[in-house]
Amino acid sequence: MTLGRWIATAGLALSLMPAPALAVVGGREGGPAAASTLMVLNARGGVCTGIVLSPRTILTAAHCTEGGVDLRIHWKDGSGEPVLIAPTNVSFHPEFEAKAITTRRRSVDLALLRLPSTLPGRFAPATLLDGALPRAGTALTLAGYGVSREGEARTTGTYRSAALSAVEPYGPGRILIWASDPQTGGKKPGAGACQGDSGGPIFDGGEDVVAVSSWSTGPKGRNCGLLSQGVLVAPQRAWIDGTLSQWGESASWTAGR
């Protein structure tokens, strides 16, 4: 598929994608660690966000890459021209369950991508947080490249972020974290994740990545604006480090505050 068709297909199909595939609604342009993120596109028109872990490796949501679909890592060069690079390796978390939402089964929705060459120098590896898991009320920041208004594909492609607060609707999480707009508590529509940002970072309030966006809920008839869900990275450190080690790479971790 040509570069033009990749970009056109991604933009057209974004509006047709079902949840999960998240981005930031009710947020602002910009956010923490923008240089540690980029976009992950697939040949079905899917748009997701990826987190740079090293010059050749990307962390994203597994559902963005499953099914043997052709993938491209996407960013714009210094002149604003789009760049599309196919990964050489894709590794799914062994506990990823593609049909977890419909079957109500547990799933660790993470995947690692390896690139054929190093990213440009303007990209900086993210720092993953390894330490105490955030509890209810913890300030978080969710960021990604998806739509700013649900169903409006033309609003994708800009890095945006929103200040959220951790909630525990099913008790303290050890695999997943849930977050909502602190002004609404997930009871009414507010800021959160939406189409286009699965695989994007959820920060601990600073620039350390505590989780990877995976899903969202919305009011009746919609998929965004109530609760945003992410996969906590600290409990998955052994898989992340083990996979990267096999590729001759490593991630940067910091202890919890």
Side-chain angles (χ1 to χ4, degrees):
M1 184 180 290
T2 65
L3 175 64
R5 288 186 63 193
W6 262 97
I7 298 298
T9 300
L12 174 64
L14 177 60
S15 63
L16 304 177
M17 287 184 65
L22 312 178
V24 181
V25 293
R28 63 178 180 87
E29 290 193 11
S36 301
T37 62
L38 35 62
M39 297 177 72
V40 179
L41 310 180
N42 70 51
R44 291 195 295 260
V47 177
C48 287
T49 299
I51 303 166
V52 178
L53 296 190
S54 76
R56 290 186 62 185
T57 57
I58 309 297
L59 176 65
T60 190
H63 76 259
C64 297
T65 65
E66 58 94 17
V69 66
D70 201 14
L71 300 173
R72 294 293 185 273
I73 309 303
H74 167 58
W75 68 88
K76 291 184 179 180
D77 64 18
S79 63
E81 291 298 312
V83 178
L84 293 166
I85 303 296
T88 56
N89 300 84
V90 178
S91 177
F92 296 97
H93 192 284
E95 294 183 53
F96 169 61
E97 171 58 58
K99 298 181 179 179
I101 294 175
T102 56
T103 61
R104 298 182 180 274
R105 297 176 61 183
R106 188 180 81 168
S107 177
V108 181
D109 191 1
L110 296 177
L112 287 163
L113 312 178
R114 187 186 188 201
L115 303 180
S117 58
T118 58
L119 290 164
R122 68 182 179 87
F123 288 100
T127 299
L128 307 180
L129 191 146
D130 186 10
L133 301 181
R135 296 276 70 95
T138 300
L140 303 169
T141 303
L142 184 147
Y145 286 95
V147 296
S148 61
R149 293 181 294 278
E150 183 172 357
E152 296 188 21
R154 65 180 181 275
T155 66
T156 194
T158 298
Y159 190 65
R160 301 182 179 91
S161 62
L164 304 180
S165 179
V167 295
E168 296 176 348
Y170 310 111
R174 297 193 179 279
I175 294 178
L176 302 175
I177 186 170
W178 294 82
S180 70
D181 188 323
Q183 302 301 314
T184 67
K187 304 299 183 182
K188 297 179 180 179
C194 198
Q195 287 97 354
D197 188 41
S198 283
I202 300 176
F203 299 98
D204 67 339
E207 294 200 355
D208 299 333
V209 178
V210 68
V212 176
S213 293
S214 59
W215 195 56
S216 66
T217 69
K220 185 176 181 180
R222 305 190 70 82
N223 297 313
C224 314
L226 294 182
L227 294 175
S228 302
Q229 181 194 84
V231 179
L232 293 161
V233 295
Q236 311 309 328
R237 179 168 183 172
W239 172 75
I240 293 171
D241 286 351
T243 302
L244 294 188
S245 178
Q246 293 175 11
W247 293 344
E249 304 286 336
S250 62
S252 175
W253 294 84
T254 186
R257 299 175 183 175

